[in-house]
C-alpha cells in the first residue's frame, strides 16, 4: 500500500525532537558507507600502475567503466526496488553484492576476472541515491538536510586518508590488499547499518524494468567497446562498425521502451521539469569529469620523468598522499559548507553552477602547470573544491523537486545519468590517450603529455557549455515556486511536472 508523504509515520522521534543518539550513529555509518564507495571508486586510480604491472594492458580504463556502468544500470532498478521492499533492506543487499565483488577482485587470477569483480562492486554506487532517500524518509526535515550533505560528502575519514591507506596497502601486499580491505570494511558496515539505521515506512507499488536496463547496458557497452578498441581495430573496420550499429539499435529499442512501458528504467517525463534536467546533466558532467581527473592526477604525479619525458614527478603510491590528502580535505570542506548554507536557506543550484565553473580552472592548471609539487597541489585543491560543490549540491536539488514517495525512483534515475556518464568518460579519455601510449616490456603504460592536454581541454569546454546551458536554457524563473511534484507513471509522455 502506498502511503502519503505527508502522513507517513517516521521511524524517528517527533519532527522537532532534534538529534538523537540513533540519528547521530545512523548518519555516521551511512557516511562511512559512502566513504567506502569513494574508496572503491578512487583506489583503482591510485593502484592502476600496480595492477598494470601484473596484468599488462592498454585497456585499464575498463576497470573504472565496468564499475560505473554496473552502477549506472543498477541505480534506478535498485531505487525502484527500494520503493517496493524498503530502502534499508535494498541498501544492505547492495552492500553485500559489492563486498562479494571486492573479494573476487582480491582473488582475481587474470584481468577478465578482475573486470567481473569490478562490475559486481558497481551496484554500491546506488547508495548515492539510497542513502539520501532513507534519510529523507526517517529524519526530521532540518536534520535530513544536514545529514544528507554530511553522508554524501562523507566525514572525511576515508577520503582524507585513502591515498595514504592505498599507498601503504599496495607497498605491503600489492593491489590485492586494497581489495581485501574494501571487502572487510563493506561487510562490517552491513552489520552496523542493520543494527542502527531505521527502515523507511514508505512503500510504493512499482515494476522493475529489467528489459529496459538490459537494453541500455548492452547498447552502451557496445558503443564503448567501439570507442575503446577503434584505434586498434581501425575506426572503419567491419567488426567495429557492426558493434556500434548493434549498440545504436539497442539504444533505439531502449528509447522506444522508455516511451511505451508504464514504468521504464528511465522515466523521460521527469526531465521535462527544468530543475531535474539541470541537476541530471550538471551532476553527470561534474561526476564524469571528476572520475577522469582522479586518474589523470596520479599518472602525472607517479610517472617517472624519464618515462613521461615532458612531465612526471616519479612519486610512489605512498608519497602521492601529499597530493591526494589535501584534495580530499578540500572536497569534504566544500561539501560541509554546502550542507550548512543549504540548511540556512541557500539554493543548492548556485553551488552546482559554481562547481561546474571551477572544473575548467582545475583542468587548465593540470594541462599547463604540472611540473612541480606546488603546481599539482594547487590544481588538486581546486579539483577537490569543485568535486565537493557538485557532489553535495546534487542530492539537495533532487530532494527539492521530488515528493517522498517518488524520491527513491527519481533519485535512482538521476543517479543513472551521473554514473552512466562516469562509465563513458574513462573509455573516451583512454581512447584520446591511446595514440600517445607507450607500453614497456617489463609492464606498465605511459601516456604522452599532449594526450592529457587534449582531454583536459575537452573537459574544460564541456563544463563551461553545461554551466551556460543551466544559466540560460534551463534557468528557473525568479517567480517560480519550488514545489514537490509527482509524475503520472501510468502515462510517461503526459506527465508534466509542476
Amino acid at each position: 500500500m502506498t502511503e502519503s508523504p505527508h502522513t507517513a509515520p517516521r521511524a524517528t522521534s517527533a519532527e522537532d525532537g532534534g538529534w538523537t543518539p540513533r540519528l547521530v550513529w545512523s548518519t555516521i555509518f551511512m557516511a562511512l558507507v559512502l566513504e567506502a564507495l569513494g574508496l572503491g571508486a578512487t583506489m583503482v586510480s591510485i593502484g592502476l600502475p600496480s595492477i598494470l604491472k601484473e596484468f599488462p594492458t592498454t585497456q585499464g580504463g575498463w576497470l573504472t567503466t565496468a564499475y560505473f556502468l554496473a552502477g549506472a544500470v543498477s541505480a534506478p532498478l535498485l531505487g525502484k526496488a527500494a520503493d517496493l521492499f524498503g530502502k534499508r533492506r535494498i541498501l544492505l543487499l547492495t552492500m553485500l553484492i559489492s563486498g562479494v565483488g571486492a573479494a573476487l577482485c582480491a582473488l582475481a587470477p587474470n584481468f577478465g576476472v578482475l573486470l567481473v569483480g569490478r562490475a559486481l562492486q558497481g551496484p554500491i554506487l546506488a547508495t548515492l541515491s539510497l542513502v539520501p532517500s532513507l534519510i529523507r524518509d526517517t529524519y526530521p526535515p532540518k536534520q535530513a538536510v544536514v545529514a544528507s550533505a554530511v553522508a554524501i560528502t562523507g566525514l572525511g575519514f576515508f577520503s582524507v586518508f585513502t591515498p595514504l591507506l592505498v599507498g601503504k596497502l599496495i607497498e605491503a601486499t600489492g593491489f590485492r590488499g586494497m581489495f581485501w580491505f574494501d571487502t572487510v570494511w563493506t561487510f562490517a558496515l552491513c552489520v552496523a547499518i542493520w543494527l542502527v539505521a531505521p527502515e523507511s515506512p514508505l512503500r510504493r507499488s512499482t515494476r522493475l524494468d529489467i528489459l529496459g536496463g538490459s537494453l541500455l547496458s548492452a547498447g552502451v557497452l557496445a558503443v564503448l567497446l567501439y570507442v575503446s578498441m577503434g584505434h586498434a581495430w581501425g575506426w572503419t573496420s567491419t567488426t567495429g562498425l557492426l558493434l556500434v550499429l548493434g549498440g545504436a539499435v539497442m539504444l533505439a529499442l531502449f528509447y522506444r521502451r522508455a516511451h511505451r512501458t508504464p514504468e521504464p528504467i528511465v522515466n523521460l517525463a521527469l526531465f521535462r521539469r527544468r530543475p531535474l534536467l539541470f541537476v541530471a546533466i550538471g551532476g553527470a558532467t561534474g561526476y564524469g569529469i571528476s572520475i577522469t581527473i582522479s586518474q589523470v592526477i596520479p599518472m602525472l604525479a607517479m610517472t617517472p620523468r624519464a618515462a613521461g619525458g615532458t612531465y612526471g614527478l616519479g612519486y610512489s603510491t605512498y608519497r602521492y598522499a601529499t597530493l591526494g590528502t589535501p584534495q580530499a580535505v578540500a572536497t569534504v570542506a566544500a561539501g560541509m559548507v554546502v550542507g550548512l548554507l543549504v540548511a540556512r536557506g541557500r539554493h543548492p543550484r548556485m553551488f552546482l553552477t559554481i562547481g561546474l565553473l571551477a572544473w575548467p580552472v582545475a583542468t587548465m592548471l593540470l594541462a599547463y602547470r604540472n611540473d612541480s609539487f606546488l603546481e599539482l597541489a594547487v590544481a588538486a585543491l581546486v579539483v577537490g573544491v569543485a568535486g565537493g560543490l557538485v557532489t553535495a549540491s546534487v542530492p539537495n536539488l533532487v530532494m527539492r523537486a521530488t515528493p517522498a514517495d517518488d524520491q527513491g525512483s527519481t533519485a535512482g534515475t538521476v543517479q543513472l545519468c551521473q554514473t552512466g556518464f562516469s562509465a563513458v568518460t574513462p573509455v573516451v579519455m583512454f581512447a584520446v590517450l591511446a595514440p600517445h601510449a607507450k607500453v614497456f616490456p617489463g609492464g606498465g603504460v605511459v601516456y604522452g603529455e599532449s594526450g592529457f592536454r587534449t582531454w583536459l581541454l575537452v573537459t574544460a569546454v564541456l563544463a563551461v557549455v553545461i554551466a551556460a546551458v543551466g544559466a540560460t536554457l534551463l534557468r528557473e524563473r525568479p517567480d517560480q515556486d519550488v514545489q514537490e511534484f509527482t509524475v503520472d507513471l501510468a502515462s510517461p509522455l503526459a506527465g508534466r511536472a509542476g
Side-chain angles (χ1 to χ4, degrees):
M1 180 178 70
T2 304
E3 298 185 50
S4 167
H6 303 291
T7 60
R10 288 182 175 270
T12 60
S13 57
E15 291 194 1
D16 59 353
W19 289 97
T20 65
R22 188 178 188 185
L23 286 182
V24 172
W25 282 111
S26 179
T27 301
I28 291 173
F29 288 136
M30 283 193 280
L32 291 177
V33 169
L34 299 185
E35 292 281 12
L37 182 155
L39 174 65
T42 61
M43 67 183 182
V44 168
S45 299
I46 300 173
L48 188 59
S50 177
I51 293 173
L52 294 181
K53 284 185 179 180
E54 183 164 344
F55 304 128
T57 177
T58 58
Q59 302 300 319
W62 279 96
L63 291 173
T64 301
T65 293
Y67 182 79
F68 280 99
L69 184 58
V73 175
S74 63
L77 294 175
L78 291 169
K80 287 192 174 184
D83 287 339
L84 188 61
F85 301 110
K87 295 182 175 68
R88 188 187 71 160
R89 183 176 298 172
I90 298 303
L91 174 64
L92 294 175
L93 176 63
T94 300
M95 294 172 64
L96 288 172
I97 294 172
S98 179
V100 171
L104 186 60
C105 288
L107 296 169
N110 54 55
F111 189 74
V113 175
L114 187 62
L115 284 179
V116 173
R118 287 293 287 167
L120 288 175
Q121 282 189 286
I124 201 172
L125 289 168
T127 59
L128 282 171
S129 57
L130 290 173
V131 165
S133 297
L134 181 58
I135 289 173
R136 164 73 174 268
D137 290 357
T138 58
Y139 282 51
K142 290 184 180 180
Q143 284 71 29
V145 173
V146 176
S148 178
V150 169
I152 288 293
T153 56
L155 298 176
F157 179 81
F158 263 150
S159 57
V160 170
F161 294 104
T162 290
L164 184 64
L165 173 65
V166 172
K168 269 294 188 183
L169 289 171
I170 290 175
E171 287 187 0
T173 63
F175 76 86
R176 299 180 189 276
M178 64 185 185
F179 285 114
W180 280 125
F181 181 89
D182 198 14
T183 302
V184 173
W185 186 254
T186 301
F187 286 148
L189 282 175
C190 279
V191 177
I193 294 293
W194 178 69
L195 291 174
V196 174
E199 177 60 282
S200 168
L202 299 179
R203 295 292 185 274
R204 175 176 174 271
S205 297
T206 186
R207 296 178 182 177
L208 303 181
D209 185 18
I210 297 176
L211 177 58
S214 299
L215 290 172
L216 177 61
S217 58
V220 172
L221 182 62
V223 173
L224 290 181
L225 280 172
Y226 172 75
V227 172
S228 178
M229 302 302 297
H231 178 69
W233 291 345
W235 297 106
T236 59
S237 68
T238 302
T239 300
L241 292 177
L242 287 175
L243 194 62
V244 75
L245 178 61
V249 171
M250 291 290 183
L251 291 175
L253 291 173
F254 157 74
Y255 182 79
R256 181 183 180 185
R257 179 174 178 80
H259 276 283
R260 296 193 174 190
T261 191
E263 297 188 49
I265 187 173
V266 179
N267 187 356
L268 301 178
L270 291 172
F271 300 121
R272 293 184 175 183
R273 197 178 202 285
R274 290 182 179 182
L276 267 183
L277 181 56
F278 177 60
V279 72
I281 65 172
T285 300
Y287 276 63
I289 293 175
S290 177
I291 292 305
T292 60
I293 301 308
S294 71
Q295 296 175 314
V296 169
I297 296 178
M299 286 190 283
L300 290 175
M302 291 191 284
T303 299
R305 177 58 68 108
T310 59
Y311 75 95
L313 301 182
Y315 283 6
S316 65
T317 52
Y318 185 73
R319 190 178 179 187
Y320 174 73
T322 58
L323 290 170
T325 298
Q327 177 185 335
V329 171
T331 299
V332 173
M336 294 298 293
V337 169
V338 170
L340 292 173
L341 292 179
V342 169
R344 294 182 180 181
R346 298 284 185 174
H347 200 308
R349 181 187 179 94
M350 174 180 66
F351 301 109
L352 177 56
T353 302
I354 295 173
L356 287 173
L357 293 177
W359 277 118
V361 177
T363 56
M364 289 300 92
L365 287 172
L366 289 172
Y368 296 102
R369 291 290 183 268
N370 56 38
D371 289 332
S372 67
F373 167 79
L374 180 60
E375 290 178 340
L376 279 182
V378 171
L381 287 174
V382 179
V383 167
V385 171
L389 291 174
V390 172
T391 302
S393 61
V394 167
N396 284 294
L397 281 168
V398 172
M399 284 195 292
R400 285 176 68 95
T402 313
D405 59 345
D406 281 341
Q407 220 257 332
S409 300
T410 304
T413 299
V414 172
Q415 186 60 35
L416 183 146
C417 298
Q418 296 166 353
T419 54
F421 194 63
S422 298
V424 172
T425 49
V427 172
V428 177
M429 181 183 76
F430 278 98
V432 171
L433 296 179
H436 309 273
K438 290 186 280 185
V439 181
F440 291 90
V445 180
V446 173
Y447 299 95
E449 185 176 13
S450 57
F452 289 121
R453 189 165 291 168
T454 299
W455 176 250
L456 292 168
L457 289 171
V458 169
T459 59
V461 172
L462 177 62
V464 170
V465 168
I466 296 302
V469 169
T472 55
L473 298 178
L474 300 181
R475 180 172 58 90
E476 291 185 22
R477 297 190 303 271
D479 60 341
Q480 184 181 36
D481 293 329
V482 177
Q483 297 177 349
E484 292 186 337
F485 74 101
T486 302
V487 173
D488 181 6
L489 294 173
S491 179
L493 295 178
R496 285 187 177 272

